[in-house]
């Protein structure tokens, strides 16, 4: 019904993806015995080549060398020599490569950079990686090691019993990938349009062939830079093995040193790039649905937000705004005067994002088709004819087939990039790229035939090689188009399909999820895994896309999504209304409160997103990233951290009277009440038990919940930067900055970042970074705030230091007692006019 008239093919392709794929994958089986794998045998002594060593024999060629001081790289190709060294994932501004220390012996050779080393035995050729302390972090399985079968290459590595494996990008299931399989096979990398996927569907839309292993609190990463279909088996084929490989191309992988899991994410993103700093409005609330047309309906939604005082920044237009589903057009019967509409919405504080799919219809006289055809921009079949497929334009009158730009051709990217300008010039704020797996409705495999030709950045190839980067290169073209058209503004691009490294160009949402509790629950590990894999700007359809949520599900989903980097409600065509007010009065009140919380916390949210753009460490992060020494955190994925300080434990059930929350070691504060939850008592070492050192452990608390409750905790020493509620981000200038400080006996320091929120001026130093420091000693809390570094001056405002302390506490600024007020139960405010200079504050809690 939804996909008229090519519903059959789409369903068939989904059927094929779910049912037939396991069998396809069996032909790429990971089993050595059945697939005729040949493992590497003896290789003669290597030659030095570049900053590494080159081995070769009649089985193939292997190079191992240094990528940088913390990353070593392996390249292997069977039966031949290594080809072009090209990557769609690596960022051009990655650190310069270094020369490793090299030793070549008769039986083994070694390479060493400051962060890790590799030893290579020559007979048989096997590689072992060690960290700086000499611990083995990654080693080839002695029996299998690197192997090949035809063009397929694979490496088997040992997987110690105590290793946990995370990452692999957009994947269903649990946070720890170990021992699990999805979709009846291993984890596969093959971008797929998976309408109404479930927790077992694999692969889905995005491919990030990167994982992190953590063992005894020490982590390292592995990134397979190969765009062909690849498969990862994480202790499933055999509990003691992890293996990965691709069906063609080089086995080209990087081993990334830790030991802290944050180091691994930082170094992986140093290699593949980090999210660009989002405009602040993109961190507000987004409202979308498939079906906001005509203009009057969109305007009603806009007016309802403002009348009901539910904050929102962005409204989205799905495919029906276009004329006959033609990219870069407007249906003038539905949207008569887009520039006027955009102006008027802008006056209400709304931005509008429009969808642009990669499949213009075949239609002479439609300028995009004509230009693309004349410029040779569309992909062609092996026989040289234009490739056409069935996508949305098949639903136009008359129905039309579509062509697909070749985004792996630099000229085509430049052409497509240039098409956005007219949209941006009339005020469209950002672009949504969808269906770019690419989805092709009438093909049995759901995408292009494998022999369709692509430029592949100057080395022509077929679809097998570029399929996984088609969406990534589309979002790159979009990003570059927006940069060129609006050089002073930060682009916002959302994509459905992408590949490792695409985080530089776009945010991601997790496609066509479903309105059920399993998707709310499963969305958390999925987004956490994406954050660990470079995609720290991601979200899912709040409320679920397919079907309609119960009122409670929508509210609970919105509560969790306050702490998803990207927060957008979206739903399918003809589902029930899915706006925050669509669920009756009680839920409307709750949904307002939830979205207000997002806006109150925007300073903290923006601060952490800025850090993610600078360091790669995601703002929405698994517990183990903050508490790697705490075994309970290693597989805990029904709760998560926002930044270093906030612990979020959303309610994930329709009927819930209480929620169990795990609080790692240390004192915590209940955000809602300011009440302190003292640390659990350390476990005493048992006499004579050498391994059981006195441990500091966490605790599980069970909290009663109502529909209003979002269990939220802040660790001692934490800082939360907040502001009064606004209806949209355009209203923030001049509002007080509320700095919530959660005292600790240990000194703690956090930086806080601000800028104009919208332009590129920050890249030239127009920001204000301040350091906040606090320490509690006895009953006295000391707070020091630095002045700004950077040239940006926020508008004049007050600084409100908000503390979870007794109302009798006395505050002193530079030694002089100052007034305190209580505006929030459980907290005390000290208000200081903010001159953006250093401030020193002391709060004495003794006398009461
Ligand atoms: C795809 C997208 C969905 C969108 C729809 C129509 O299913 O995933 O978000 O609403 O297409 O464009």
């Amino acid at each position: 019904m939804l996909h008229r008239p090519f519903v059959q093919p789409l369903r068939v392709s989904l059927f094929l993806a779910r049912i037939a794929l396991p069998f396809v994958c069996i032909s790429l089986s990971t089993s050595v015995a059945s697939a005729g794998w040949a493992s590497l045998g003896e290789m003669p002594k290597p030659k030095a080549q570049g900053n590494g060593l080159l081995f070769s024999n009649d089985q193939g060629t292997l190079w191992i060398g240094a990528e940088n001081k913390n990353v070593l790289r392996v390249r292997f190709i069977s039966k031949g020599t290594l080809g072009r060294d090209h990557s769609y994932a690596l960022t051009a501004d990655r650190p310069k490569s270094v020369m490793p220390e090299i030793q070549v012996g008769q039986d083994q050779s070694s390479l060493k950079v400051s962060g890790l080393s590799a030893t290579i035995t020559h007979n048989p050729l096997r590689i072992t990686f060690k960290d700086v302390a000499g611990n083995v972090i990654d080693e080839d399985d002695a029996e299998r090691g690197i192997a090949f079968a035809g063009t397929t290459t694979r490496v088997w590595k040992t997987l110690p019993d105590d290793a946990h494996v995370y990452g692999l990008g957009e994947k269903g299931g649990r946070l720890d990938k170990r021992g699990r399989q999805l979709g009846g096979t291993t984890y596969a990398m093959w971008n797929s349009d998976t309408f109404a996927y479930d927790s077992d569907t694999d692969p889905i839309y995005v491919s990030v062939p990167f994982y992190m292993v953590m063992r005894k609190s020490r982590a390292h990463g592995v990134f397979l830079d190969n765009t062909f279909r690849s498969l990862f088996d994480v202790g499933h084929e055999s509990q003691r093995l992890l293996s990965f490989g691709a069906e063609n191309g080089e086995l080209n992988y990087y081993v990334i040193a830790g030991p802290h899991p944050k180091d691994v994410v930082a170094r992986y993103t140093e290699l593949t790039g980090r999210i660009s700093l989002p405009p602040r409005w993109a961190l507000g609330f987004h409202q979308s649905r498939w079906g906001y047309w005509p203009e009057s309906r969109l305007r009603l939604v806009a007016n309802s937000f403002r009348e009901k005082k539910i904050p929102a920044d962005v409204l989205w237009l799905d495919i029906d705004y276009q004329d006959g589903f033609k990219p870069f057009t407007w249906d003038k019967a539905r949207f008569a005067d887009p520039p006027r509409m955009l102006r008027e919405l802008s006056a209400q504080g709304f931005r509008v994002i429009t969808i642009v799919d990669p499949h213009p219809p075949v239609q002479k006289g439609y300028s995009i088709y004509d230009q693309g055809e004349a410029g040779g921009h569309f992909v062609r079949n092996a026989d040289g004819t234009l490739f056409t497929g069935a996508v949305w334009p098949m639903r136009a009158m008359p129905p039309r087939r579509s062509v697909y730009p070749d985004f792996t051709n630099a000229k085509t990217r430049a052409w497509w990039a240039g098409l956005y300008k007219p949209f941006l010039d009339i005020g469209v704020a950002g672009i949504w790229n969808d269906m770019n797996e690419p989805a092709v409705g009438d093909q049995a495999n759901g995408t292009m035939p494998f022999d369709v030709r692509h430029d592949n950045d100057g080395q022509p190839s077929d679809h097998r090689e570029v399929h996984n980067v088609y969406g990534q290169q589309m979002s790159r073209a979009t990003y570059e188009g927006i940069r060129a058209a609006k050089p002073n503004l930060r682009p916002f691009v959302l994509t459905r399909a992408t590949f490792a490294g695409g985080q530089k160009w776009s945010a991601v949402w997790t496609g066509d999820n479903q309105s059920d509790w399993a998707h709310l629950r499963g969305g958390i590990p999925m987004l956490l895994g994406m954050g660990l894999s470079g995609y720290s700007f991601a979200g899912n359809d709040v409320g679920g896309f397919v079907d309609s949520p119960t009122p409670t599900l929508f509210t609970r989903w919105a509560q969790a999504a306050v702490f998803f980097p990207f927060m957008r409600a979206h739903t399918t065509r003809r589902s029930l209304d899915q706006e925050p007010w669509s669920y009756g009065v009680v839920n409307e009140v709750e949904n307002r409160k939830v979205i207000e919380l997002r806006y109150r916390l925007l300073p903290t949210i923006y601060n952490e997103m800025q850090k993610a753009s600078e360091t790669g460490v995601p703002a929405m992060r698994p517990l183990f990233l903050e508490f790697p020494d705490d075994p309970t955190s290693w597989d805990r994925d029904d709760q998560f951290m926002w930044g270093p300080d906030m612990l979020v434990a959303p309610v994930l059930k329709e009927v819930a009277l209480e929620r169990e929350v795990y609080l790692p070691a240390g004192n915590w504060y209940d955000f809602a009440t300011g009440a302190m939850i003292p640390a659990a008592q350390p476990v005493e070492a048992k006499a004579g038990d050498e391994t059981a050192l006195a441990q500091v452990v966490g605790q599980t608390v069970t909290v009663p919940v109502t529909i209003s409750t979002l269990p939220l905790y802040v660790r001692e020493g934490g800082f939360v930067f907040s502001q009064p509620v606004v209806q949209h981000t355009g209203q923030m200038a001049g509002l007080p900055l509320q700095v919530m400080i959660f005292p600790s006996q240990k000194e703690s320091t956090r930086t806080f970042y601000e800028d104009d929120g919208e332009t590129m001026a920050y890249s030239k130093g127009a920001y204000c970074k301040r350091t906040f420091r606090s320490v509690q000693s006895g009953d006295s809390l000391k707070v020091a705030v630095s002045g700004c570094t950077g040239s940006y001056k926020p508008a004049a405002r007050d600084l409100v230091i908000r503390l979870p302390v007794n109302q009798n506490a006395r505050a002193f600024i530079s030694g002089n007692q100052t007034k305190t007020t209580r505006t929030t139960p459980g907290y005390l405010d000290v208000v200081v006019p903010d001159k953006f200079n250093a401030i020193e504050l002391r709060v004495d809690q003794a006398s009461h």
Side-chain angles (χ1 to χ4, degrees), residues 498-650:
T498 185
F499 185 72
Q503 66 268 15
K504 301 184 279 284
W505 302 305
S506 66
V508 167
W509 98 106
T510 63
D512 298 345
N513 63 357
Q514 302 185 43
S515 300
D516 64 32
W517 290 91
H519 274 261
L520 169 56
R521 170 70 182 88
I524 295 172
M526 185 179 285
L527 293 172
L528 292 173
M530 292 173 78
L532 293 173
S533 312
Y535 279 91
S536 50
F537 195 12
N540 57 25
D541 286 349
V542 172
F545 178 75
V546 180
D547 217 332
S548 298
T550 62
T552 305
L553 176 57
F554 185 88
T555 298
R556 294 301 190 195
W557 205 313
Q559 287 173 345
V562 169
F563 297 97
F564 294 171
F566 173 60
M567 187 186 190
R568 182 187 74 158
H570 181 57
T571 181
T572 189
R573 204 165 69 111
R574 297 191 186 142
S575 60
L576 302 179
D577 286 353
Q578 200 161 307
E579 291 85 27
W581 54 84
S582 308
Y583 303 96
V585 183
V586 172
N587 288 79
E588 181 179 325
V589 169
E590 295 306 329
N591 297 338
R592 176 185 299 103
K593 275 202 283 204
V594 168
I595 298 171
E596 285 181 352
L597 179 63
R598 173 89 177 189
Y599 279 82
R600 276 165 48 206
L601 293 176
L602 262 183
T604 267
I605 290 171
Y606 188 59
N607 192 39
E608 291 303 330
M609 292 302 287
Q610 189 278 333
K611 288 191 171 61
S613 73
E614 211 169 76
T615 66
V617 179
M620 178 190 178
R621 59 184 71 157
L623 259 63
F624 80 79
L625 217 55
E626 287 304 320
F627 305 97
D629 298 329
D630 179 344
T632 309
S633 78
W634 295 343
D635 194 22
R636 190 79 203 215
D637 60 9
D638 63 344
Q639 56 180 62
F640 56 95
M641 301 293 293
W642 180 265
D645 296 328
M646 301 184 87
L647 185 150
V648 189

Side-chain angles (χ1 to χ4, degrees), residues 290 318-319 355 392 432 434-435 496 509 511-512 545 570:
W290 182 0
D318 207 323
I319 45 175
I355 200 166
W392 306 129
W432 174 18
D434 186 20
M435 306 298 275
R496 193 170 71 174
W509 98 106
D512 298 345
F545 178 75
H570 181 57

